[in-house]
Amino acid sequence: MKRFFLRLYFDNAMVGPGKAELLEHIRETGSISAAGRAMGMSYKRAWMLVEELNAAFASPLVASARGGSGGGARI
């Protein structure tokens, strides 16, 4: 079975399967750090990818707040 992947190119960013998977994990876990861990990447790398995604669109794709009772990330 062949698999095809779609990459979207913007002026300042590219969105491919890795960033799409990161967004899925953020949606499932409500956490950028947990999403990064699920993909075997550091929090810093996951956060950098989220910043790239947020900069590529008119409105942020991921909204985040520091941990605690109202913290976490959401799409």
Side-chain angles (χ1 to χ4, degrees), residues 1-16:
M1 172 189 211
K2 290 188 179 197
R3 296 180 69 188
F4 294 93
F5 297 99
L6 178 66
R7 287 188 201 277
L8 303 173
Y9 293 90
F10 297 91
D11 290 336
N12 59 349
M14 176 183 65
V15 180

Side-chain angles (χ1 to χ4, degrees), residues 10-70:
F10 297 91
D11 290 336
N12 59 349
M14 176 183 65
V15 180
K19 288 179 184 168
E21 182 181 351
L22 180 64
L23 289 173
E24 287 178 29
H25 286 294
I26 292 170
R27 184 187 45 163
E28 291 168 2
T29 64
S31 166
I32 295 171
S33 59
R37 278 193 306 272
M39 295 181 67
M41 72 174 69
S42 69
Y43 172 77
K44 182 176 181 174
R45 176 74 177 140
W47 182 249
M48 287 174 37
L49 293 174
V50 166
E51 285 181 326
E52 284 180 27
L53 287 165
N54 282 346
F57 291 88
S59 345
L61 295 182
V62 178
S64 63
R66 289 195 169 238
S69 62

